[in-house]
Amino acid sequence: GLLTNPLWDLAREAKLPTRATQLDDVLQIFPANDDVSDVHQWFNDYIDFVREQTRGNSTNRSLGHYANVFVKNMNLNRKEQYAFYSYLNHVVENTEGAELNEIGAKSFLDLTSVYYGDELIFRDNGFMSLTNYLLKKISNIRFNQIVSKIIFHDQSVEVRTNTGQIYHAEYVLLTVPLGVLKRKLIEFSPPFYFV
């Protein structure tokens, strides 16, 4: 989301043109040959439902809990439930990097005040726009390296690859799938704690 993403700050600094993600930009996972056109409205209704349920409530139940209650209240059939949960996975789980049952609903809404809203994308060249901007400022960039360990020092970072190569830098931009982090394929020192 825009409130917690340092790449967004960098994109604004670079004055990169962006636009909101359109429904056509993403591959939705809906049942084949079924019209589930209401799923976006269900999501908006779900966010309103969660906001209403958590208002003045001191307990912090998960987004998954409220999704289950919402689905029951809406009396969605099996295909509609599948479409709704798929949409939630795309919009929330993939953005937050955690499963719905692990995300506190109140904390999620308090952090963002209203869920993140439009997910912006780079209008012209995708993420290459950002990479091209970084290339103007940095001369020594390594691509396609399989990182095995990252060691953080006071003023620098040490990166070790699976081939034994060691790099030293002020900063590291690590772009790995969430599954790599969940499976702990990269060792961090000091260790990162993922919640």
Side-chain angles (χ1 to χ4, degrees), residues 46 62-64 67 85 88-89 92-93 98-103:
Y46 163 73
S62 72
L63 287 175
Y85 284 116
L88 276 183
N89 175 273
V92 178
E93 287 185 357
E99 295 177 9
L100 290 173
N101 288 328
E102 297 172 354
I103 303 170

Side-chain angles (χ1 to χ4, degrees), residues 38-193:
D38 295 331
V39 71
H40 186 69
Q41 183 60 49
W42 295 335
F43 175 75
N44 288 331
D45 292 345
Y46 163 73
I47 292 296
D48 291 341
F49 172 76
V50 172
R51 188 175 295 111
E52 190 59 37
Q53 293 297 308
T54 58
R55 184 171 305 167
N57 188 344
S58 61
T59 60
N60 194 14
R61 294 194 170 164
S62 72
L63 287 175
H65 166 80
Y66 288 113
N68 294 334
V69 173
F70 178 79
V71 163
K72 186 176 180 181
N73 290 349
M74 291 289 291
N75 200 26
L76 300 179
N77 67 39
R78 187 180 198 119
K79 290 179 182 177
E80 291 169 335
Q81 288 179 32
Y82 179 77
F84 176 70
Y85 284 116
S86 294
Y87 192 82
L88 276 183
N89 175 273
H90 171 74
V91 173
V92 178
E93 287 185 357
N94 291 339
T95 302
E96 294 299 314
E99 295 177 9
L100 290 173
N101 288 328
E102 297 172 354
I103 303 170
K106 188 168 181 58
S107 300
F108 175 77
L109 292 176
D110 286 350
L111 174 66
T112 59
S113 71
V114 178
Y115 82 100
Y116 294 135
D118 288 334
E119 184 175 328
L120 299 176
I121 60 174
F122 299 111
R123 189 181 72 211
D124 298 329
N125 297 322
F127 272 100
M128 282 306 296
S129 301
L130 192 57
T131 305
N132 292 339
Y133 175 72
L134 289 172
L135 283 172
K136 293 177 186 174
K137 299 174 88 175
I138 303 169
S139 61
N140 190 4
I141 297 179
R142 303 286 186 210
F143 294 101
N144 300 318
Q145 302 291 306
I146 300 175
V147 175
S148 59
K149 186 172 186 175
I150 298 176
I151 303 169
F152 296 94
H153 302 290
D154 287 339
Q155 300 295 318
S156 66
V157 182
E158 181 179 311
V159 179
R160 297 181 183 183
T161 69
N162 66 339
T163 61
Q165 186 70 40
I166 298 175
Y167 299 100
H168 296 274
E170 287 182 68
Y171 305 99
V172 171
L173 174 61
L174 183 68
T175 57
V176 296
L178 183 59
V180 170
L181 297 176
K182 284 184 172 182
R183 290 192 312 263
K184 300 181 181 176
L185 297 176
I186 299 173
E187 181 184 349
F188 293 94
S189 178
F192 276 173
Y193 295 99

